[in-house]
Amino acid sequence: MKNVLKNVSGTISRKNVSGTISVGVVGLGIMGSSISANLAKAGIATHGYDIIAKRRADAMRRGVKPARSIADLAARAPILLTSLPSSDALIEVASELAGNTGSAAIVIETSTLPIAVKEEAHALLDAAGVVLLDCPLSGPGAQARTRDLAVYASGSRAAYRRCAPVFEGFARTHTWLGAFGNGSKMKFLANLLVAIHNVSAAEAVLLAKKAGIDPALAVKVLGDGAGASRMLQVRGPMMVKGDYGDATMKVAVWQKDMKIIADFARSVGSPTPLFSATASIYDAAMTQGFAEADTASVCAVLERLAADWE
């Protein structure tokens, strides 16, 4: 490992012709597209790859240089960042990288996935001399757009330090949390709170409407008091408008996160009664046609429940 880290240090300090670090982003969906755009804005030479051609074209308009394949991306950048939708996608990307490492020396893995899957990817890349960092992100797509993300980093501290300029290019803050996998554990804690705070924000917005209080005013006033939460701030306005089309976290994707958190909590024997209580609200959002809508649509679920009470 010492030799690997020594090589990592040498590779990452290498500058390209523009004088900046070169970074490659794998996965240009809601999160990856915003991350890559912000890296480009920060003056970092940013390359991107996604299996969907339209996403590659959109990224190019934001200053990101599209790559033809994973191998092409790995040949261009010593640091790669992955933002992927599933466990299968991560293993597929890790396997391809292990066979075509190119210039890649470090992979920053930002997806919310089971720790066992990340450990499998870690083993694949380690055998190829590539360091994988477990670095989930706290913040939905709306926050990613404005560089308002928190990075929960874990794994090699030396590699983490080398990646600090990259984190600072797309995130508000970043913290090293120790051993590989601790980043994911912290993300599970964060998303447990997000699940609860999102539903509680919806309850407050609906109660304001029912009580005859302007819900927009309620979101503003509550946001400056003891009941404030980031979910109220970010999703409260969507709930007030009842417009959930511009999804920064789709309900269908969130269901994946909910299962991962529930399984993890169960595996360590930690009860989560409030988190578990929100599950039925998100399930209802799925069955009521909000799978592709933002998770703020739980407010619409509660509104329909209220209509049934009348």
Side-chain angles (χ1 to χ4, degrees):
M1 180 61 75
K2 288 182 179 179
N3 289 333
V4 170
L5 293 179
K6 182 177 180 180
N7 290 336
V8 166
S9 176
T11 304
I12 295 175
S13 64
R14 185 182 64 195
K15 307 289 184 178
N16 63 19
V17 291
S18 66
T20 63
I21 297 170
S22 184
V23 178
V25 178
V26 183
L28 300 171
I30 291 175
M31 297 297 289
S33 61
S34 294
I35 290 169
S36 58
N38 282 325
L39 286 170
K41 286 179 186 176
I44 294 173
T46 307
H47 309 263
Y49 176 73
D50 195 287
I51 59 173
I52 299 175
K54 183 180 184 303
R55 290 180 178 176
R56 299 197 298 272
D58 290 342
M60 185 165 59
R61 285 191 285 272
R62 291 188 292 269
V64 178
K65 303 174 181 65
R68 298 182 301 275
S69 64
I70 297 291
D72 180 30
L73 192 68
R76 300 184 188 192
I79 302 176
L80 301 184
L81 182 150
T82 53
S83 178
L84 302 168
S86 67
S87 297
D88 288 345
L90 175 57
I91 298 305
E92 182 177 344
V93 168
S95 298
E96 189 164 348
L97 279 174
N100 298 278
T101 57
S103 299
I106 295 177
V107 176
I108 301 169
E109 212 305 290
T110 67
S111 318
T112 303
L113 298 169
I115 294 173
V117 173
K118 294 204 177 189
E119 288 175 340
E120 182 180 351
H122 181 277
L124 284 168
L125 291 172
D126 184 62
V130 177
V131 177
L132 181 69
L133 292 175
D134 171 39
C135 301
L137 310 174
S138 181
Q143 289 174 239
R145 292 171 187 166
T146 58
R147 208 174 65 81
D148 186 22
L149 295 172
V151 180
Y152 299 147
S154 61
S156 164
R157 190 166 192 174
Y160 161 74
R161 287 171 173 162
R162 302 295 184 268
C163 292
V166 178
F167 298 138
E168 288 157 12
F170 72 86
R172 172 177 49 82
T173 185
H174 55 92
T175 306
W176 181 70
L177 297 168
F180 186 91
N182 283 354
S184 284
K185 292 175 184 177
M186 190 65 74
K187 178 59 186 291
F188 300 160
L189 302 181
N191 275 9
L192 178 145
L193 291 171
V194 166
I196 296 167
H197 290 172
N198 187 48
V199 173
S200 66
E203 288 187 6
V205 169
L206 179 56
L207 184 56
K209 292 178 181 178
K210 291 293 185 179
I213 295 176
D214 178 0
L217 178 62
V219 168
K220 179 180 178 181
V221 173
L222 293 172
D224 194 33
S229 73
R230 188 58 65 89
M231 287 302 97
L232 179 65
Q233 176 188 11
V234 172
R235 295 207 160 96
M238 299 174 71
M239 296 171 181
V240 170
K241 295 178 182 177
D243 184 356
Y244 312 114
D246 185 16
T248 58
M249 171 55 75
K250 295 180 181 180
V251 175
V253 176
W254 184 246
Q255 290 293 85
K256 177 261 296 182
D257 289 10
M258 294 282 288
K259 183 180 185 304
I260 291 172
I261 296 166
D263 289 346
F264 178 74
R266 197 159 35 245
S267 73
V268 297
S270 182
T272 56
L274 289 180
F275 174 77
S276 298
T278 69
S280 62
I281 308 298
Y282 293 104
D283 289 343
M286 288 288 291
T287 60
Q288 291 178 19
F290 293 106
E292 297 302 305
D294 192 88
T295 53
S297 59
V298 294
C299 190
V301 173
L302 296 182
E303 287 171 346
R304 293 182 183 182
L305 179 61
D308 291 341
W309 285 10
E310 295 175 351

